[in-house]
């Protein structure tokens, strides 16, 4: 898997570096100057670095059942937290935190899960300690929930340290929690 991703990134990098300027000029009518070439190379290098970061995050997620990556995007500060776990009859109660900086303008939250028996509850708690969303999954139905929030100027309740809580009761099933900031 790692080798396939590296080959894909290298192929993309090769396309940017070895593109024939005369072919580009014929297709676009513009012959790229050295500045455009340098910009294309920087863009390819950035894509390569992001692919390496994602691959390292995937490797960590295989060990730790989560992925946390920051700094993706075109010059913007973005972050992503993804948690998932499969349970085979366990009962647990775990908590964690994630930070929403005051320069963030949008949040995208999603919770998915399926349970054959028992239950899994995923809860999100605002920085002020008030509950934001809590979903309990059982054998009644699979859950697919998502919400996008646009944070208006002066709206402070979303900034700070959020908490999430995962509680299971003799759960046979799985959940996936994803939090993205933009």
């Amino acid at each position: 898997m790692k080798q396939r991703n590296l080959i894909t990134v290298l192929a993309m990098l090769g396309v940017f570096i070895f593109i024939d300027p005369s072919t580009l000029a014929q297709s676009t009518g513009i012959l790229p100057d050295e500045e455009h070439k340098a910009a294309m190379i920087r863009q390819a290098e950035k894509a390569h670095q992001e692919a390496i970061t994602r691959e390292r995050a995937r490797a960590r997620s295989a060990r730790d059942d989560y992925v946390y990556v920051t700094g993706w995007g075109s010059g913007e500060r973005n972050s992503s937290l993804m948690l998932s776990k499969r349970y085979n009859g366990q009962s647990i109660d775990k908590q964690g935190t994630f930070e929403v900086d005051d320069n963030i303008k949008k949040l995208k939250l999603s919770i998915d899960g399926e349970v054959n028996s028992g239950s899994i509850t995923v809860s999100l708690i605002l920085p002020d300690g008030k509950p934001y969303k809590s979903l309990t999954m059982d054998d009644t139905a699979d859950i697919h929930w998502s919400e996008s929030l646009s944070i208006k100027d002066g709206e402070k309740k979303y900034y700070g340290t959020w908490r999430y809580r995962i509680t299971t009761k003799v759960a046979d099933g799985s959940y996936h929690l994803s939090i993205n900031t933009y």
Side-chain angles (χ1 to χ4, degrees), residues 54-105:
R54 283 191 295 271
E55 184 60 36
R56 287 179 182 155
R58 278 190 204 98
R60 281 194 311 271
S61 72
R63 293 187 306 265
D64 301 327
D65 298 320
Y66 71 92
V67 176
Y68 183 70
V69 181
T70 62
W72 290 9
S74 56
E76 299 173 2
R77 175 135 172 110
N78 302 328
S79 66
S80 178
L81 172 67
M82 292 172 269
L83 298 154
S84 62
K85 181 76 175 167
R86 169 155 279 297
Y87 298 100
N88 296 309
Q90 295 97 326
S91 294
I92 60 105
D93 188 351
K94 302 278 183 170
Q95 294 187 57
T97 62
F98 66 95
E99 198 69 30
V100 176
D101 296 331
D102 59 0
N103 61 342
I104 298 301
K105 298 298 179 202

Side-chain angles (χ1 to χ4, degrees), residues 104-136:
I104 298 301
K105 298 298 179 202
K106 188 171 186 175
L107 285 170
K108 183 166 182 354
L109 310 165
S110 68
I111 300 171
D112 297 290
E114 56 86 17
V115 175
N116 298 319
S117 63
S119 66
I120 300 174
T121 301
V122 178
S123 301
L124 297 171
I125 298 105
L126 289 165
D128 65 4
K130 293 179 182 172
Y132 181 76
K133 187 69 171 180
S134 184
L135 289 174
T136 299

